[in-house]
Amino acid sequence: MPYRWRIAGAFAALVVAASCVLALGQGLRHVIDAGFGSGDPHLLNAALAAVVAVSVVLACATWARFFLMMSVGERVIAHRLATVRHADRIIVMDRGRIHAVGTHEDLLRADGLYAHLAGLQFIAA
């Protein structure tokens, strides 16, 4: 599935999950008013079933968002190189320009900006 489709699907799942959170509050109010207030067990069962259904939709939307985003990866902006030391890919930027791309070990061997910053940070620590 293309990256943009995953992002769009994850955004839609996020909107559904947020809507469910809002609906749960109204559903609980409905359970208290209609279910407990009326004294009729059938109304209470119907109100509780609606709240459970909204909870299931919330769980499904959360799972869908996780599933769609799990292979997209994470973006980390770090000033401490120890934070990204074990990352699969590090992009070194300075003043808005990309200087190097690679793993921690690759960038240290390249003896560029990353190696210079690593020398300053790891020796001082």
Side-chain angles (χ1 to χ4, degrees), residues 15-65:
V15 170
V16 169
S19 301
C20 287
V21 169
L22 294 174
L24 279 175
Q26 292 299 316
L28 288 176
R29 193 182 111 238
H30 181 67
V31 165
I32 292 169
D33 292 346
F36 291 122
S38 69
D40 185 12
H42 297 292
L43 285 176
L44 179 61
N45 283 343
L48 284 175
V51 169
V52 168
V54 171
S55 299
V56 168
V57 171
L58 174 63
C60 291
T62 303
W63 177 85
R65 190 175 45 143

Side-chain angles (χ1 to χ4, degrees), residues 6 10 14-15 20 48 50 64 77 109 121:
R6 285 182 178 269
L14 177 64
V15 170
C20 287
L48 284 175
I77 299 172
R109 280 193 297 264
Q121 287 188 16

Side-chain angles (χ1 to χ4, degrees), residues 79-110:
H79 297 282
R80 290 185 58 236
L81 300 182
T83 305
V84 296
R85 182 180 239 171
H86 301 291
D88 295 331
R89 187 170 82 170
I90 301 170
I91 301 173
V92 181
M93 296 183 72
D94 184 33
R95 297 184 183 149
R97 302 186 78 183
I98 295 177
H99 281 268
V101 177
T103 64
H104 174 75
E105 291 79 19
D106 295 339
L107 294 170
L108 286 178
R109 280 193 297 264

Side-chain angles (χ1 to χ4, degrees), residues 80 85 115-125:
R80 290 185 58 236
R85 182 180 239 171
H116 173 71
L117 293 173
L120 292 175
Q121 287 188 16
F122 295 135
I123 290 173

